[in-house]
Amino acid sequence: MMNSILVTLHISPEDYIKQYQIPGVMVHTHASDGRRVQFPASILKPFLLHEGIHGRFRINFSQNGKFKSIERSS
């Protein structure tokens, strides 16, 4: 069974390059249900556009907390 969290992110391209492009760096934020979450910034790279990373994302992970996938959510 897979678990998931929803996060809303607004990261400018400058902030992504400055803070999150370093290998192993974690993003710290809150899920839509209020839980504090952290995940590797590298999973966001496919969503990095000229305007940065903006939107709501569903992050899927296994029961033992291992990352499985990420998708843009409506």
Side-chain angles (χ1 to χ4, degrees):
M1 177 181 186
M2 231 188 292
N3 297 310
S4 66
I5 57 170
L6 285 173
V7 295
T8 301
L9 299 172
H10 297 286
I11 303 171
S12 72
E14 297 82 12
D15 282 346
Y16 185 86
I17 290 167
K18 222 170 32 177
Q19 298 178 29
Y20 299 117
Q21 200 167 14
I22 302 164
V25 170
M26 303 294 276
V27 173
H28 299 265
T29 191
H30 288 89
S32 60
D33 64 5
R35 289 183 287 175
R36 289 177 52 137
V37 296
Q38 65 178 21
F39 52 88
S42 60
I43 70 172
L44 298 173
K45 198 166 190 172
F47 302 99
L48 179 59
L49 302 174
H50 236 20
E51 304 82 31
I53 300 170
H54 300 280
R56 191 170 175 175
F57 300 88
R58 179 178 302 280
I59 302 172
N60 301 303
F61 53 96
S62 66
Q63 283 187 315
N64 62 354
K66 298 288 183 189
F67 170 74
K68 291 291 182 186
S69 64
I70 183 171
E71 58 200 355
R72 190 174 297 274
S73 181
S74 53

